[in-house]
Amino acid sequence: MEIAIIGAGVVGLSTALSIQESFPELKLTLYADKFNEKTLSSGAGGFFRPEIGVHHNADLVRKWCKDSFSHFLSILGSPEASAAGMQLVSGYHLSSSVSLQNNLLQELVPEYRQLNKKELQLFPDHFKNGIFFTSIVTDCRYYLPWMKSKFENAGGTVVEKYISNICEIPKQFNIIINCAGLAAKQLVHDDKLIPIRGQTIKVKAPWIKNFYYGDEIYIIPGVDYVTLGGIKDYGSWNTNVRPDQKKYIYDKCIELVPSLKEAEFVSDWVGLRPYRTSVRVDASFVICNGSYRLIVNNYGHGAHGVTLSWGTAQEVTKILKKLLKTKDFAIAKL
């Protein structure tokens, strides 16, 4: 049995490790043209903050989020937490209008409460509501190479190659796992997949120990840098830094946390998040030169790649377990 995985972002590597842990006898090969700091995932704030609306099945989203959070906690409780770039961070989510409530988050995280009036006075006057909670920040600049190393050390093969067509995957692979992110739009001709352009600023501000969300912007401390964001441009393919958006992010973040004026600028980042109205995790067939190839898809996470990564990886593993027991898979091998 040989399985090919396309994509080395947080979803692709999580899926590779999940399969490897459940099926150590399988030969796994991961194909990608970008790794570690060159991937979209490396620029992510990496903050665990689940949202139910990422898939039409709310119960399934709850399971994915719970699976991811449980997995992250297991890493945090191990000696490898530092190498994996994971840490518990407490902070504030503020709103100038709506009352904030996230039942799934409240169910999972170790601390969650509404802010009182005295606490709200610590922030600009236009913030009328807020919550304080503790969650997990995963710095993908550490997490991605950590996962890649685990995959290779356990016998997985990594091939640096750009895959533009599913049919490029050699025929000896019985199943192809599609974790190509936005590239899946071309690979499986998915018109429902669109980019959400994001733009952030990385700064050095080691005194920032809490996270902050304020309406449209956020401040997330990582291992070495603090991420200031963010922008959500639906349908934009522009990968250039927009000075007007940079100024907006910077001004709003300083308004929220004035000490950021003293932060040292490190870099700008722009990335195209793979968005679908419903994250796609399923099995399908494609035709290559007159024969069927079996595909398991895992993409379309939008801005929730880290949060959902292990949960959807476990879902792929569950699908594989079913496929390996069915007659359909025997037909697919022929």
Side-chain angles (χ1 to χ4, degrees), residues 201-214:
I201 306 168
K202 302 285 186 180
V203 300
K204 285 187 178 180
W207 60 90
I208 301 295
K209 303 300 183 183
N210 296 116
F211 68 82
Y212 301 85
Y213 276 80

Side-chain angles (χ1 to χ4, degrees), residues 92-100 115 120 123-131 213-217 248 252 255-256:
Y92 306 85
H93 186 185
L94 304 158
S95 172
S96 58
S97 56
V98 298
S99 178
L100 297 169
L115 295 181
L120 285 170
F123 303 102
D125 292 341
H126 60 85
F127 290 118
K128 306 302 181 185
N129 301 283
I131 54 176
Y213 276 80
D215 290 336
E216 300 299 322
I217 61 97
Y248 172 81
K252 288 294 183 181
E255 179 188 31
L256 182 55

Side-chain angles (χ1 to χ4, degrees), residues 164-180:
S164 62
N165 189 311
I166 288 290
C167 301
E168 294 175 25
I169 300 295
K171 290 184 178 181
Q172 77 258 24
F173 291 100
N174 306 91
I175 301 176
I176 301 168
I177 313 295
N178 173 23
C179 303

